[in-house]
Amino acid sequence: MIGQDYWWVLLIKAVVVVLGLTTIAAYLTYAERKVAARIQLRLGPNRVGPFGLLQPAADAVKLLFKENAAPANRDRLLYLVGPSLAGGAAVLAFAVIPMGINNWFNYQFHWDIAHFNVGLLFILGVTSLGVYSLFLGGWSANSKYSLLGGLRSSAQLISYEMAVSFALIGTIILAGSLDLEQIVGAQQQTWFIVLQPLAFVLYFSGAFAETNRAPFDLPEAETELVAGYHTEYGSMRFGLYFLGEYVNMVIVSSIATTLFLGGWLPLFPFHPFDWIPGPLWFLGKVVVLLFFMMWVRWTFPRLRYDRLMNFGWKVLLPLGLLNILITGTVVALRA
Amino acid sequence: MTALIAVVMALAAISAIGVVLSPQTIYSALSLVVTVTMISVLFLLLNAQFLFAVQLIIYAGAVMVLFVFIIALLNPEAEDRPALDYRAMIGLAAVAAVTILVFVTARNGITYGSGGFRGQQVGAASNPYHTFAFGADAVNAAGNVQTVAGQLFTTYLLPFEITSLLLLVAAIGAVYLTRRTKEAA
Amino acid sequence: MISTGAFPYLLGLSAFLFTIGAAGVLIRRNPIVVLMCIELMLNAGNIALIAYGRFLNSVEGQIFAFMVIVVAAAEVVVGLALVTAIFRLGRELDVDDLSEMSE
Amino acid sequence: MNVPWLTLVIVIPVGAALLLQVVPRNLTAAVKGVTLLATAAVAVIVGVLVAMLPHTVGSDQPLTFHYEETHAWIPGIGASYHLGLDGLSAWLLALNAGVFLLGALAVSRRSTERLRFYCTLLLLTEAATAGVLLAADLLLFYLFWEGMLVPLYFLLSNYGGEKRGPATLKFILYTVAGSLLMLLSIIWLYVNSGARSFDLETLITSSGPAQAVIVIPGIHVPTFTPQELVFIGFALAFAIKLPLVPFHTWLPDLYEACPPAALVFFAGIVSKLGAYGFIRFGLTLFPEPVNHFKWFLAGVAVLSIIYGALMALSERDIKRIVAYASISHLGFVALGIFSLTQNGVNGSIIQMINHGIIISALFLIVGFIEARTGTRDRRQIAGLERRMPWLYAFFLVATLAALGMPGMNGFVGEFTIMLGAFQLNWVYAVLAGGGVVLACWYMLRLHQGLMHGPPAALVERVRDIRMGEGLLLAPLAALMIFLGVYPRPVGDLARPAVTQYVARATGTPVLPAVYS
Amino acid sequence: MLAQAVPIVPLVTPSAKDLLGLLPELILGGGFVVLMLLDLVVPARRRAWLAAFAFLFIAASFGACMWGWFDSGSGRALYFGSIAYDKYAMFINAVLLISAALVVIISPQYLNRRGLHYGEYYALILAATTGMMLLAGAMSLMVIFLAIELLSVSLYILSGFSRHEERSQEAALKYLLLGGFASGFLLFGMALVYGETGHTQLQQIEAALRVSTNVDPLLLAGVILIFIGLAFKASLVPFHTWTPDVYQGAPTSVTTFMSVATKVAAFAVMVRVFTYTFPAVYAHWQAIVFLVAIASMLVGNIAALTQTSVKRMLAYSGIAQAGYILIGVAVSPSEPLGTIGVLYYLAAYAVTNIGAFAVITVMAGRGEDLDSYAGLRGLAYRRPYVAAAMGLFLLSLGGFPPTAGFFGKFFVFAAAIKSGQTSLALWGIATSAVSVFYYLRVALLMYQRPAADQPEYQWSRSTFGGSAVLLATTAGTLVLGILVTLVYSAAAAAQGALLPVAAG
């Protein structure tokens, strides 16, 4: 079931989430530059607004007003479809991420758009569509660099999706449900990062690859592919891809939070920690993970492509299977 | 909700036409992506959540990507035959006829009457295997993933095992057929 | 959710997809597209299975559909492997031309 | 007497054929030796069996089988391995053994090239024809009947004249079509008999009365009853094999293309099997249809007699002349059968034996002539009398026998048949008599043309037949004369069986055996 | 909202006894996996070992079949009605296993000559046979569908096994596309039947159809679509178009296997589904089966007349043979002789056709197939025994006694007449007469002297394996043609114990 909300509540939730995600994504670009600057002993953006906080807005204006330069023999329709889809799948997946439950005046309010009894499956299903955006971007431009980038990214995404899904199954076994709220609820005592450390590492490694971030950012490797699948994109169309990447980051962090870091649950299940509302806990954990991703990006070298694929198939996947095997055995023995 | 269903079904149908009539292979493939996605939504609406996920992950996320991949790699040229020639016209007429016929047959209440589906009534009378042991809404109450999974590994274990063999065969075959050997020219 | 009244429409859609897939197999020549049309037919079968299963309160439909998806995946993998192999041998892809042997 | 003699008759040739496969191909003497030995052994066994066959009517059984062997074969459908010998088949079996022995003797030593294959096929054919004559189970009968075609096909298509390809195909297609219809009829009989058995004796006793298909109640519409249709299925198969006139077209072509040595047994026995089938199965299983159709069938037989004779008159190729003569003679056989009288059927059996002997001799002679002169055109040959006195003598005997000269065996058969035909209707007998007159004409003309007058150019250098060849013809000629003077052995042996058959066909009760 | 996750349906796990009943299939499926692993360790020069291993597995599975045949516990459905453990399945399994064994024996020589000797071959043969055996026992629409796919996918790959030959690859692709097309029909038909009866298990479908009074058009559509799907696999007219091209393009040893085993499995399931599950609607599907049978006999035989390639001729002849076998299905379901006839015909067809194809396989030269009629000319002069065997197979295909083919035809014709459908038998007989023409034409060719200008064809020497197979098939053809009751009584026993009807 998708939920029992009134349709207008749903609408409001949806609008808020979409706007919120775009804003967060925009500010993540700012954060990334700041973090990069700190790591490289620089200042980062600091001209537009206080501490450069308006920089994302300025970027947005710039991208919007730039002239559209597009390859002449592109596939006109798909050239437009590609960027439009970017981030779409990710936003859709966010619809079922629970950020808390409140009971207001006998109205049970779920901090998500849709409460869905097989939320995890929904996420896995929807995120598997993300590949098309990259692929279409790479293919439609009719340029070999973008094509190679597109193909690489698709291959990479598919390979890692397997590993990532396997990593998640351990948590499902522990929680005994696919309902994300129930999975969070099962972490009341112990977060799954404690019970499933290997799975968390596997998932998050895979998540880097899924979001095309360093050290797995082969599809858009500047030095080899001149930025990969979006080489031939400019102005706001490029902006959409850019935005999509950061939305993706938010999503993978949210999933990791929900499945491994106890979602909206406080760090410790007692006062004063549980005075802080659940959604804030959730956001906090997501922010920590996002920072971690940026940190990694600016401190790790990039893998070679074949190593990347090997890593996915020959390390992550077997380990994921092993994790399932161990978890399943333990759960079966204890039951 | 009815509007949603109608839109989803219409999109599925239109994109299916696109699969057949697109002059370019890649458009066919992308139309098929839309079709399978819409079908997955239908599955969701039909309370088959597990199938929804499987449809998206396997079909949209893997099978269709493979298609798109191969098309991009091989880059087959557009067909020289016009997509909408007389054969296509005949085909589409047949499609329309069959669809309407099936619709009318199903609509006329032969398949189901006031007492529910005929298969259900007849089945209930003749069933030693508890397939209908779930009450009318047992499937709907909790996620039916559990029900499906439970049945999959007990009653339908044999078919399930056959699929594993099938996948193994397909994998071996694909590797064999695409493997480059020294004697390859 | 979906009421019984929608059933004829679902079955109609299923029949539509099935026949259009079948028509596609017959009128298209590119093997990749033909393969896609076959997928369309299998999907149509799945819709029918799940729609029936939903209104019969039976899980058999879903389980069957699941198996079908697996089968379809296996078939596509082999089919595309063959397409690649033929392409590598340097042939144009055209079903009507796949008749080197018929004299 | 627990030795399965009848099985041995079938098995010995098959075993010899298998044995031949391991004999080295170039050892022609060994190949010939094995073949001869096998055919001779069969001939001896058959001879003893026929000599010892009791001349009695079975008391409690519808048919009079001796030396019976019955084993379950396909018990699930009631098919059995049932062999038996009676007065009807005994002489034909003897003829069979004889012509194959002749065939084995007549194999030319010079054509060593594929002798082994030839001998294999000859032996297999012998086994199949013997099986046809011995089988008392319909399915088993069909097995041999159809199986016979296989070696014959290879024989005809591999060793023959230039036109053998189309001729063989024509023959095979004709006969296969006919026998497949017979198969259908056999199955129908089986299904509708109620006894669920293929055994001839069971089927005879259990076949129900024919039910007429009533198209419009109260009005007689000439339609066929199911049983009549089934009979037609059988009759077509037999008529093609015999052959009766509209189905005869394969015969002259095939005889023309057939190698002479093979013709000895092909013409000698294979075409008799159609007539044998008519008597054995047609008369017993379908008494009513046979009675119903006898006017028509006898008419066809008369047509065969006259047509064959007229065609023989118009031909120049001596082989074809003999072939048409054969059709004419077989018409007599058919006429005898369909007269449905004791005399007629008895005459048919005698005539079958006689014709087997005569036609074998004629084809041997034709073969010798062709081998020596290199032609078969009767107008190019003349005056052989002087060059080949021995051949002349044998040919004279055969000619006289063929045209039905009293004192020769041909006369006995034809005369008895005419008696039967007369009992049926005098018109048939008169017309058949016309056939005899024509036979005199064409046979004497042929004989005169070939033998008398000044020698033609082609005849200048021919030599007379050798000793071995003469020894082939001598027993045949002796038999022609012997059976012409003393035909009783054949008639006596056949009479008990014929009594039964005719009684069944005409619906008259079997009379107590009157042995005179 | 946090509903507790509790199992809704009581879960019953299959018992271990079920596993035992599935032993033949398990051995073969296990053999498939083991062979794949062995392929990794066996050196390339010793790949014949793999054939030996495959043969061992087949033999073991055959042993299990024999055990199952005499097991008194058989005659029931395993895995909750998914698969039958009855004599019928064991009969078909035995035929399939013998075919597979014969193919495995002739393969090493052929594959070596063609440079195709890879370990996957044997593994895939085992996988395909497993699929066919599962199909023979299938008692649920799901298992039928999956088993068909298992065997088809294996055969698609095997058809394209000659990787560097366009003909083989194209044959495989064509086979796959049309096979997939057929699967679509099959699936849609199954969906409709499932929806209208509420079941996928054949026993329950049969019971449901018996109970129900009115017949829904959608149900009939489903039945007919299932028939179409199966007819594709059995290559019946008008769903036969793939057959000649695929038979010709695929490596001959694969064609040998495919031409026989697929047909055996397809007809096995067709009998179980149509004769024993859908008898209640016999009146509705009879006409279509009837017409398809006649069309197959006509088209197959007439098209075979004009062929000049042996493989194509045998392909069309196979179509015609399928038409004859279908007679056994088209007769009334209450006529047991129909099923017995199908079983007998299948056994006869298996030995004969494997023999005929084995001759082509054994005689194949290096790198090319013995394909044209001209290539066979004069075979009897150089290889008299092989030619004699081939002649025997052709006669058997033509239905001459005393060979296996005669009794195959005899039983189905008898069934047709017995159930009052004489016209079917008449069509069969008319087309049989036509078929004699082209079978004997080839037979004659072998015994003709090689023409003076004929390019000398490189016939290979038959190896031990090839000779063994030819000897076995020759013996089988004769045994089935003379000692009929051996197989007939087995077929009758198999028919008598056939699920789902035997149980209810």
Side-chain angles (χ1 to χ4, degrees), chain D residues 178-450:
Chain D
S179 46
L180 282 172
L181 282 175
M182 182 168 76
L183 175 64
L184 210 63
S185 302
I186 290 176
I187 297 173
W188 191 92
L189 271 181
Y190 163 69
V191 168
N192 288 286
S193 69
R196 289 292 143 91
S197 166
F198 284 101
D199 199 275
L200 182 61
E201 293 186 314
T202 321
L203 280 176
I204 286 176
T205 47
S206 67
S207 57
Q211 292 155 357
V213 179
I214 297 166
V215 179
I216 307 164
I219 300 172
H220 177 74
V221 182
T223 49
F224 296 129
T225 63
Q227 222 182 0
E228 281 167 1
L229 283 174
V230 172
F231 171 71
I232 290 172
F234 272 86
L236 271 177
F238 297 142
I240 289 171
K241 204 64 147 220
L242 191 59
L244 284 178
V245 144
F247 310 109
H248 70 287
T249 54
W250 58 267
L251 188 134
D253 292 350
L254 192 74
Y255 281 15
E256 191 187 347
C258 189
L263 258 182
V264 173
F265 59 83
F266 190 86
I269 190 73
V270 172
S271 57
K272 312 294 173 302
L273 296 178
Y276 167 78
F278 263 127
I279 304 179
R280 170 75 90 210
F281 300 100
L283 299 196
T284 53
L285 288 171
F286 308 101
E288 283 128 13
V290 171
N291 249 330
H292 189 220
F293 289 122
K294 69 179 172 189
W295 302 104
F296 172 72
L297 287 169
V300 171
V302 168
L303 186 64
S304 287
I305 296 172
I306 306 228
Y307 178 85
L310 287 174
M311 287 306 287
L313 269 176
S314 68
E315 280 290 341
R316 290 182 206 155
D317 185 323
I318 47 179
K319 228 173 172 183
R320 287 179 80 91
I321 292 173
V322 178
Y324 279 116
S326 174
I327 291 178
S328 181
H329 288 171
L330 291 167
F332 272 107
V333 174
L335 179 62
I337 295 169
F338 298 124
S339 72
L340 285 185
T341 55
Q342 188 123 355
N343 279 329
V345 178
N346 220 346
S348 290
I349 294 172
I350 296 171
Q351 176 72 353
M352 273 194 254
I353 310 295
N354 291 338
H355 177 247
I357 296 166
I358 295 168
I359 207 80
S360 296
L362 279 176
F363 275 122
L364 276 175
I365 291 167
V366 167
F368 295 151
I369 294 177
E370 187 191 356
R372 279 165 176 75
T373 61
T375 182
R376 292 197 306 260
D377 191 335
R378 73 175 162 83
R379 293 178 309 175
Q380 291 185 18
I381 309 170
L384 276 174
E385 179 194 8
R386 291 183 204 160
R387 306 274 165 212
M388 307 175 77
W390 280 102
L391 184 89
Y392 171 75
F394 286 126
F395 192 28
L396 185 64
V397 175
T399 306
L400 293 180
L403 57 81
M405 173 79 119
M408 305 301 262
N409 63 346
F411 171 75
V412 182
E414 283 176 11
F415 181 75
T416 329
I417 290 170
M418 300 255 267
L419 270 182
F422 207 86
Q423 279 173 297
L424 183 68
N425 196 314
W426 62 271
V427 177
Y428 289 119
V430 168
L431 286 173
V436 177
V437 173
L438 286 173
C440 290
W441 185 359
Y442 63 76
M443 279 317 292
L444 288 176
R445 192 182 67 173
L446 179 69
H447 187 259
Q448 276 181 343
L450 292 186

Side-chain angles (χ1 to χ4, degrees), chain D residues 10-260:
Chain D
I10 299 171
V11 163
I12 288 175
V14 174
L18 289 178
L19 182 68
L20 277 184
Q21 301 311 303
V22 294
V23 175
R25 226 178 312 172
N26 354 354
L27 288 183
T28 46
V31 171
K32 263 200 90 168
V34 170
T35 316
L36 264 178
L37 216 60
T39 44
V42 170
V44 168
I45 293 176
V46 170
V48 172
L49 287 178
V50 172
M52 294 175 64
L53 195 74
H55 299 206
T56 51
V57 181
S59 54
D60 53 345
Q61 280 173 323
L63 297 179
T64 335
F65 281 128
H66 304 283
Y67 310 111
E68 278 190 271
E69 290 172 34
T70 313
H71 303 286
W73 177 33
I74 317 174
I77 54 169
S80 58
Y81 177 77
H82 184 180
L83 301 181
L85 193 66
D86 67 357
L88 169 58
S89 49
W91 276 105
L92 283 170
L93 193 67
L95 177 68
N96 187 39
V99 293
F100 277 101
L101 185 59
L102 270 184
L105 284 168
V107 174
S108 163
R109 261 181 245 141
R110 270 167 299 171
S111 66
T112 49
E113 195 198 354
R114 298 173 68 202
L115 186 67
R116 188 175 69 169
F117 188 53
Y118 180 87
C119 289
T120 309
L121 295 173
L122 181 142
L123 289 169
L124 289 177
T125 314
E126 175 169 18
T129 45
V132 167
L133 291 170
L134 292 176
D137 180 277
L138 254 70
L139 196 57
L140 195 65
F141 164 75
Y142 184 80
L143 205 72
F144 288 119
W145 176 267
E146 186 84 346
M148 175 173 67
L149 289 180
V150 176
L152 278 180
Y153 173 74
F154 282 100
L155 203 62
L156 300 172
S157 58
N158 275 288
Y159 307 85
E162 60 216 79
K163 284 194 231 156
R164 63 178 184 267
T168 312
L169 211 55
K170 203 172 180 182
F171 166 64
I172 292 289
L173 286 183
Y174 260 107
T175 41
V176 163
S179 46
L180 282 172
L181 282 175
M182 182 168 76
L183 175 64
L184 210 63
S185 302
I186 290 176
I187 297 173
W188 191 92
L189 271 181
Y190 163 69
V191 168
N192 288 286
S193 69
R196 289 292 143 91
S197 166
F198 284 101
D199 199 275
L200 182 61
E201 293 186 314
T202 321
L203 280 176
I204 286 176
T205 47
S206 67
S207 57
Q211 292 155 357
V213 179
I214 297 166
V215 179
I216 307 164
I219 300 172
H220 177 74
V221 182
T223 49
F224 296 129
T225 63
Q227 222 182 0
E228 281 167 1
L229 283 174
V230 172
F231 171 71
I232 290 172
F234 272 86
L236 271 177
F238 297 142
I240 289 171
K241 204 64 147 220
L242 191 59
L244 284 178
V245 144
F247 310 109
H248 70 287
T249 54
W250 58 267
L251 188 134
D253 292 350
L254 192 74
Y255 281 15
E256 191 187 347
C258 189

